[in-house]
Amino acid sequence: MTAKAKMKTRDKILEKALTLFNERGTASVTTNHIADEVGISPGNLYYHFRNREEIIRYIFEMMEVESREGFGPIANKAQAMGLQAFEETFRFIQQFNQRFIFFKRELPILLMRDPKLKVRFDIAHQDTLSLIRTLVDGAVAGGLLRHIEVEERQLLAEMSWMLTLFWPNYLEISGEENFNEGLERGIAMIRLLVHEFKADE
Amino acid sequence: MTAKAKMKTRDKILEKALTLFNERGTASVTTNHIADEVGISPGNLYYHFRNREEIIRYIFEMMEVESREGFGPIANKAQAMGLQAFEETFRFIQQFNQRFIFFKRELPILLMRDPKLKVRFDIAHQDTLSLIRTLVDGAVAGGLLRHIEVEERQLLAEMSWMLTLFWPNYLEISGEENFNEGLERGIAMIRLLVHEFKADE
């Protein structure tokens, strides 16, 4: 088997696993199901990944790469966008979440089951929180948001991040099935929140 | 077996299942594990509950009863408490969540797996949202919160509910292990949010 063909099987496994996890939840999907759907033997799958946890960890790696690529342009324009940067960040993360919906849906339990994933997620979590905190600090420094104390800035950053992180779960448990309507409602919520902290004009 | 002894076994099964679900997650706990821990045969367990889903549904019923009992006094005092009612609601729900942590942790996946549970949860979800909306409307009518439009009131109610609902999950994925510190941080967040909408004095 050439290196290229090997790569392809590996990618196929990850993509198929992602689809199955999104549709059924990770607990209902075995490595045998995944191998079946890819049309390879279980032995061939084990050549690429030791178990389901390893597949989930590699999907998380895909998420990291895709989120860096997608978020870069927004981060670069943030200064120029003013308060809209908060809405655009929310919009980007929600669209991104759609592709990896199982991950947000099962996040606490996935981290509970796999300490290795937890270590990696912690880093990503702190990075995103810092990034949102930077948005808040920048908006306060630039006079877009009124002056609020450091503790309140941290709480505002955490509140925004939490609303962003769990919005897909909230839509799922609310039975919202129209992605775009749910997205617009979430954006209205973030706008309401951020505008409450707006500096007087 | 007397009716009372039967009742006891049934309760023991529910309490032990709750502990195991909280500790390990529902997917890692079979009805055999539960029977083992209660010290009864699997057949005896099946006499009380058909499967794990049915046990989860009865735990949800326990939650409903305990939450009505616990929340009644807060709801009755809400008018007199002013804006503190938001904090007290948050505090009560977080303490309540502790006992049923698996339910919040796995909520989207539990609802995805069991349509019967989803029907019951939907009702509870809409009830709680209405209750928080009533708190918001009352605070606006009473002049505690400034006048905001109906759509914004709904968004504020949803935002408060969402922060309350997913706060335990946020603490778990953040690696916060001190329940009281996490609780106080959440209360500070709710206070910050509600006070932003306070009427001018």
Side-chain angles (χ1 to χ4, degrees), chain B residues 6-59:
Chain B
K6 239 202 249 174
M7 191 57 151
K8 272 193 183 158
T9 305
R10 193 186 164 76
D11 286 350
K12 266 189 216 157
I13 295 168
L14 289 175
E15 284 295 338
K16 192 51 86 179
L18 177 56
T19 307
L20 291 171
F21 292 160
N22 284 341
E23 282 172 8
R24 305 186 199 165
T26 57
S28 312
V29 178
T30 64
T31 45
N32 282 357
H33 291 142
I34 301 168
D36 245 23
E37 289 273 333
V38 178
I40 59 174
S41 68
N44 195 348
L45 187 141
Y46 288 125
Y47 170 77
H48 294 279
F49 301 100
R50 248 178 308 168
N51 49 35
R52 189 171 56 187
E53 277 59 47
E54 195 167 274
I55 297 178
I56 295 172
R57 258 177 263 137
Y58 277 97
I59 291 178

Side-chain angles (χ1 to χ4, degrees), chain A residues 32 38 191 198:
Chain A
N32 281 358
V38 178
R191 192 182 301 135
K198 218 163 76 169

Side-chain angles (χ1 to χ4, degrees), chain B residues 103-117:
Chain B
F103 193 84
K104 292 289 155 74
R105 188 194 285 145
E106 300 185 37
L107 187 53
I109 201 96
L110 293 176
L111 300 183
M112 195 172 141
R113 271 202 223 121
D114 184 357
K116 282 188 199 164
L117 183 66

Side-chain angles (χ1 to χ4, degrees), chain A residues 25-106:
Chain A
T26 55
S28 312
V29 178
T30 64
T31 46
N32 281 358
H33 290 142
I34 301 168
D36 246 23
E37 289 274 332
V38 178
I40 58 174
S41 69
N44 194 347
L45 187 141
Y46 288 125
Y47 171 75
H48 295 280
F49 300 101
R50 249 178 307 169
N51 50 34
R52 190 171 55 186
E53 276 57 49
E54 193 167 277
I55 296 178
I56 295 171
R57 258 177 262 138
Y58 276 98
I59 291 178
F60 180 67
E61 228 167 66
M62 279 165 63
M63 289 174 67
E64 294 257 84
V65 171
E66 292 186 24
S67 95
R68 260 193 296 271
E69 281 169 4
F71 194 68
I74 298 173
N76 290 335
K77 285 188 300 182
Q79 202 81 32
M81 275 197 283
L83 292 184
Q84 231 196 316
F86 288 91
E87 295 170 35
E88 289 311 311
T89 303
F90 183 87
R91 185 187 297 278
F92 168 74
I93 296 181
Q94 299 315 316
Q95 282 159 343
F96 179 76
N97 279 342
Q98 272 309 94
R99 176 157 150 73
F100 299 100
I101 191 77
F102 85 93
F103 193 83
K104 292 289 154 78
R105 188 195 286 144
E106 301 184 34

Side-chain angles (χ1 to χ4, degrees), chain B:
Chain B
M1 204 186 279
T2 65
K4 202 175 160 194
K6 239 202 249 174
M7 191 57 151
K8 272 193 183 158
T9 305
R10 193 186 164 76
D11 286 350
K12 266 189 216 157
I13 295 168
L14 289 175
E15 284 295 338
K16 192 51 86 179
L18 177 56
T19 307
L20 291 171
F21 292 160
N22 284 341
E23 282 172 8
R24 305 186 199 165
T26 57
S28 312
V29 178
T30 64
T31 45
N32 282 357
H33 291 142
I34 301 168
D36 245 23
E37 289 273 333
V38 178
I40 59 174
S41 68
N44 195 348
L45 187 141
Y46 288 125
Y47 170 77
H48 294 279
F49 301 100
R50 248 178 308 168
N51 49 35
R52 189 171 56 187
E53 277 59 47
E54 195 167 274
I55 297 178
I56 295 172
R57 258 177 263 137
Y58 277 97
I59 291 178
F60 180 67
E61 231 168 63
M62 281 164 62
M63 289 174 67
E64 295 257 83
V65 172
E66 293 187 22
S67 97
R68 260 192 297 270
E69 281 169 6
F71 194 67
I74 298 173
N76 291 336
K77 287 187 299 180
Q79 204 82 32
M81 275 196 284
L83 292 183
Q84 230 197 316
F86 289 90
E87 293 170 35
E88 289 310 312
T89 303
F90 183 87
R91 185 188 298 275
F92 168 74
I93 297 181
Q94 298 316 317
Q95 280 159 346
F96 179 77
N97 279 342
Q98 272 308 93
R99 173 154 151 76
F100 300 100
I101 191 77
F102 85 95
F103 193 84
K104 292 289 155 74
R105 188 194 285 145
E106 300 185 37
L107 187 53
I109 201 96
L110 293 176
L111 300 183
M112 195 172 141
R113 271 202 223 121
D114 184 357
K116 282 188 199 164
L117 183 66
K118 186 160 173 40
V119 170
R120 294 182 197 183
F121 178 79
D122 275 348
I123 298 167
H125 172 68
Q126 291 305 330
D127 283 355
T128 316
L129 199 50
S130 302
L131 198 143
I132 295 176
R133 175 63 193 278
T134 307
L135 276 184
V136 172
D137 287 346
V140 170
L144 293 167
L145 295 182
R146 64 180 175 75
H147 179 76
I148 49 174
E149 298 302 326
V150 172
E151 294 79 19
E152 291 182 328
R153 285 187 219 167
Q154 185 63 22
L155 284 175
L156 179 58
E158 270 195 299
M159 187 152 45
S160 314
W161 173 222
M162 200 193 142
L163 292 171
T164 307
L165 186 61
F166 291 119
W167 187 245
N169 295 12
Y170 183 72
L171 291 181
E172 281 205 345
I173 65 126
S174 309
E176 173 69 73
E177 279 167 16
N178 185 317
F179 174 73
N180 285 322
E181 275 176 25
L183 177 63
E184 293 309 319
R185 203 146 53 93
I187 289 174
M189 195 180 60
I190 289 290
R191 191 181 302 136
L192 179 68
L193 175 66
V194 171
H195 280 239
E196 280 303 310
F197 289 89
K198 216 164 74 169
D200 293 330
E201 274 151 72

Side-chain angles (χ1 to χ4, degrees), chain A residues 5-194:
Chain A
K6 241 202 251 176
M7 192 55 152
K8 271 190 183 160
T9 304
R10 192 185 166 79
D11 286 350
K12 268 189 215 158
I13 295 169
L14 289 175
E15 284 295 337
K16 191 54 83 181
L18 176 57
T19 306
L20 292 170
F21 292 159
N22 284 341
E23 282 172 9
R24 304 185 200 164
T26 55
S28 312
V29 178
T30 64
T31 46
N32 281 358
H33 290 142
I34 301 168
D36 246 23
E37 289 274 332
V38 178
I40 58 174
S41 69
N44 194 347
L45 187 141
Y46 288 125
Y47 171 75
H48 295 280
F49 300 101
R50 249 178 307 169
N51 50 34
R52 190 171 55 186
E53 276 57 49
E54 193 167 277
I55 296 178
I56 295 171
R57 258 177 262 138
Y58 276 98
I59 291 178
F60 180 67
E61 228 167 66
M62 279 165 63
M63 289 174 67
E64 294 257 84
V65 171
E66 292 186 24
S67 95
R68 260 193 296 271
E69 281 169 4
F71 194 68
I74 298 173
N76 290 335
K77 285 188 300 182
Q79 202 81 32
M81 275 197 283
L83 292 184
Q84 231 196 316
F86 288 91
E87 295 170 35
E88 289 311 311
T89 303
F90 183 87
R91 185 187 297 278
F92 168 74
I93 296 181
Q94 299 315 316
Q95 282 159 343
F96 179 76
N97 279 342
Q98 272 309 94
R99 176 157 150 73
F100 299 100
I101 191 77
F102 85 93
F103 193 83
K104 292 289 154 78
R105 188 195 286 144
E106 301 184 34
L107 187 53
I109 200 97
L110 293 177
L111 300 184
M112 197 172 138
R113 271 202 225 120
D114 184 357
K116 281 188 199 164
L117 183 66
K118 186 157 174 41
V119 170
R120 294 183 197 183
F121 178 79
D122 275 349
I123 298 167
H125 173 68
Q126 292 305 331
D127 282 354
T128 316
L129 199 50
S130 303
L131 197 142
I132 296 176
R133 174 66 194 276
T134 307
L135 276 183
V136 172
D137 287 346
V140 171
L144 293 167
L145 295 182
R146 64 180 174 74
H147 179 78
I148 48 175
E149 299 301 325
V150 171
E151 293 79 19
E152 293 184 325
R153 283 187 220 169
Q154 185 63 21
L155 284 174
L156 179 58
E158 269 196 302
M159 187 151 47
S160 315
W161 173 219
M162 201 194 141
L163 292 171
T164 307
L165 185 62
F166 291 118
W167 187 244
N169 294 13
Y170 183 74
L171 291 180
E172 281 204 345
I173 64 124
S174 309
E176 173 68 74
E177 278 167 15
N178 185 316
F179 174 72
N180 286 321
E181 275 175 26
L183 177 63
E184 292 310 319
R185 202 145 53 91
I187 289 174
M189 195 179 60
I190 289 291
R191 192 182 301 135
L192 179 68
L193 175 65
V194 171

